[in-house]
Each structure stands twice: as structure tokens, then as C-alpha cells.
Amino acid sequence: MFFFGSKPESVCDNGQGVIRKVLGHEGHMMIVQNDFEQGAVGTLHSHPHEQTTYVLSGRFLFTIGDEQHEVGPGDSLHKNPNVVHGCTCLEKGSLLDVFTPIREDFL
């Protein structure tokens, strides 16, 4: 059963303006909230997971492969497995990420 409660399963503060909260996971899917301070950076990286990001609040400049996208509340982005991606927070905000399969490294 995939349950969304008021308390995240795990919280990770990277000490550089980003707090990751694992909200839930089941089977092959995981949902994670990332809260960014203005100016915080999601460092360029890649992973074997498919990822969709929904912008809850704030403004972000995303790099996905060779493209850049400025996004705000209500926008969504998709990242294919193994594609280099990252972001810079332009205005304090939160992102909701859905991964498949689950990110074992987040648990």
C-alpha cells in the first residue's frame, strides 16, 4: 500500500539549501519532495531511474541534457534514465519528484 502521511519517511538536509523528504514508495515507484532555498543548486548528475518533476512553488532553471528550461508552479519536467540533469533555484520553492524504479540510495 502506498500511503501519503503527514510525516516523511526520511529527511536529508544537504547543508547547502536543499532538504529532501521521501514521502513514500511502493513496488517500483517513489515520491520525493525537495525544498530549495533561493540560489541552492541541484548539482548536475545522472542515474538509471526515470524521473518526473512537478514544480509546487518557486522558480527553477533546469538543465536536462543539452537543454535549459525555466519553470514555475504547475510546470512539469521529465528526465529519461541516464540523462545528465540538475537545477538552480531562482526563487525559493519546492519540487515533487516521482522516480521509477525507487531510489534505494534515498532510503
Side-chain angles (χ1 to χ4, degrees):
M1 174 195 222
F2 198 95
F3 176 75
F4 296 93
S6 59
K7 183 178 178 186
E9 290 186 12
S10 68
V11 177
C12 176
D13 183 346
N14 75 355
Q16 298 182 22
V18 182
I19 296 176
R20 178 179 65 230
K21 301 173 188 171
V22 175
L23 302 178
H25 60 89
E26 177 73 25
H28 295 287
M29 191 171 290
M30 170 182 269
I31 190 162
V32 177
Q33 181 174 327
N34 293 287
D35 299 323
F36 284 76
E37 293 297 325
Q38 184 172 345
V41 174
T43 306
L44 287 173
H45 65 286
S46 66
H47 46 73
H49 311 82
E50 190 169 357
Q51 177 181 354
T52 299
T53 299
Y54 178 77
V55 182
L56 293 168
S57 62
R59 295 211 60 79
F60 296 84
L61 180 62
F62 270 87
T63 299
I64 304 172
D66 295 332
E67 298 181 5
Q68 288 196 321
H69 306 274
E70 187 173 330
V71 295
D75 290 333
S76 295
L77 300 152
H78 180 79
K79 297 110 178 172
N80 285 316
N82 302 309
V83 172
V84 175
H85 59 280
C87 69
T88 299
C89 181
L90 305 175
E91 176 185 305
K92 180 179 178 173
S94 296
L95 303 173
L96 197 61
D97 287 323
V98 177
F99 295 97
T100 186
I102 65 171
R103 296 283 306 259
E104 296 282 350
D105 55 325
F106 285 4
L107 299 177

